Amino acid sequence: MLKKLGLILLTMSISVLLSSCHIKKKDEETISRTTNNLRVYQPGDVITYNVIAVSNSGTTSQGTLRVEWEQTPDLTDPIDGSTKYPVLKETTTLTYNPDSTEANATIIRYIHQETSSTAPDNSGQTSLYAIGGGTSLYWLYNPDNVNNPSSDIILPVIFDSPMEVGTPPPNSPLTFSVMEDCGVTVGQCGAEIYKFDDNFTIIGDTTPVTTNLGKFSNPFEIEFFGATTPKNSPATSFPGDIRSICGTSADQVSYNGTMFVMPEIGMVRMVNLCQNSTSGGVAQVNYIITLNNTNIPLP
């Protein structure tokens, strides 16, 4: 009887060992991209990330970044008062652990993407139509036209698709001004809130990135740098881009770093140094943002 019991226990131990090996092998599975075109996001898509933020004061904070896309009514052009823009509402929420000294933040953007039916060669190309802050919408102008409140809005491309190594992105560098009170007076916007400058270059696709969902073998590696410059001391302030999250539209912020993108999903990892120099000194926060989970199918 004891001999039989020992055999049973040995069999169970081997079974557990084999199961552990199988799980480990699955975790180390390599995932390769199958396209160079960025995903056309759908209502209900969600991506979550783990966040580590290290400030130059020596404080390290951890948290979660959540990006979700949802259907929203068409936006109406605030200048002509009639043109309708189909958009998705993109909400990015940064939430730190309760013991953190960093502030939580939410970024709301209204984006439009080309599809295989609207622009087959550029499916996934992403344009920014407006930025949300509270209950208001903030539209974008060419910086040369900020003193002409009746100028047409612009709808800048913020992410080119398809992605390609070695070819300068057609929409970099990128510059636009964010305006307040657009449409409050029919046919015009109010004052400039801030100016946004961005530069990005795809430098390679040979550096693998390991995440909670597996090892991505060949994501596009993008180097970027840019800044937000406040204007006219508006009464409201809000964050407009995750890379400048160490400040708001009321702050002088610069950023630089590296982003890894799997086109089928989007960003899978980002390392970004954000610097806020509003108060005379420079407050720096280095962010490490890594994919944790998503309901978007993997390649």
Side-chain angles (χ1 to χ4, degrees), residues 9-286:
L9 293 175
L10 177 61
T11 302
M12 291 176 62
S13 298
I14 292 173
S15 176
V16 170
L17 181 60
L18 289 175
S19 297
S20 299
C21 290
H22 176 69
I23 293 172
K24 184 176 181 182
K25 184 177 181 181
K26 184 177 180 181
D27 287 346
E28 293 179 351
E29 182 179 355
T30 298
I31 305 168
S32 301
R33 74 172 189 268
T34 58
T35 179
N36 290 351
N37 285 86
L38 189 66
R39 175 176 175 80
V40 177
Y41 293 109
Q42 303 299 310
D45 282 353
V46 176
I47 307 175
T48 61
Y49 302 86
N50 295 322
V51 178
I52 299 174
V54 183
S55 69
N56 60 342
S57 65
T59 301
T60 298
S61 301
Q62 297 186 14
T64 300
L65 185 73
R66 176 185 171 93
V67 186
E68 58 185 322
W69 292 265
E70 58 187 306
Q71 195 63 60
T72 191
D74 293 352
L75 301 185
T76 302
D77 189 301
I79 302 302
D80 70 24
S82 60
T83 302
K84 300 290 185 180
Y85 300 115
V87 293
L88 277 183
K89 182 181 181 181
E90 177 191 88
T91 303
T92 302
T93 306
L94 178 59
T95 305
Y96 286 102
N97 294 344
D99 59 350
S100 172
T101 58
E102 297 287 340
N104 297 337
T106 299
I107 300 168
I108 297 175
R109 306 196 301 181
Y110 295 87
I111 65 167
H112 176 81
Q113 290 184 284
E114 300 296 346
T115 67
S116 57
S117 59
T118 61
D121 293 338
N122 297 104
S123 179
Q125 180 175 283
T126 306
S127 298
L128 178 62
Y129 278 35
I131 297 173
T135 58
S136 300
L137 280 180
Y138 303 99
W139 296 81
L140 316 179
Y141 266 26
N142 183 319
D144 294 337
N145 295 333
V146 294
N147 293 321
N148 180 2
S150 299
S151 294
D152 290 334
I153 60 167
I154 62 172
L155 309 171
V157 174
I158 57 172
F159 222 112
D160 290 297
S161 181
M163 305 177 71
E164 187 175 351
V165 177
T167 300
N171 290 287
S172 178
L174 170 67
T175 299
F176 58 78
S177 292
V178 180
M179 310 297 287
E180 67 178 348
D181 296 334
C182 293
V184 173
T185 299
V186 177
Q188 68 181 45
C189 288
E192 180 183 19
I193 299 175
Y194 69 93
K195 181 183 175 186
F196 178 81
D197 295 287
D198 192 27
N199 294 264
F200 46 95
T201 305
I202 301 174
I203 63 171
D205 63 350
T206 60
T207 302
V209 172
T210 299
T211 75
N212 187 51
L213 296 184
K215 181 179 180 181
F216 296 96
S217 65
N218 58 347
F220 287 105
E221 183 176 359
I222 303 172
E223 286 188 345
F224 59 81
F225 66 91
T228 62
T229 304
K231 304 285 185 177
N232 298 310
S233 301
T236 187
S237 63
F238 51 89
D241 192 284
I242 188 59
R243 293 167 297 172
S244 57
I245 200 67
C246 66
T248 70
S249 56
D251 298 313
Q252 179 66 55
V253 177
S254 62
Y255 59 84
N256 67 88
T258 303
M259 180 189 305
F260 294 89
V261 174
M262 284 293 287
E264 296 91 340
I265 301 171
M267 184 182 78
V268 295
R269 182 175 170 84
M270 181 168 71
V271 178
N272 175 45
L273 178 63
C274 184
Q275 302 182 83
N276 187 331
S277 56
T278 301
S279 301
V282 178
Q284 298 182 349
V285 184
N286 193 56

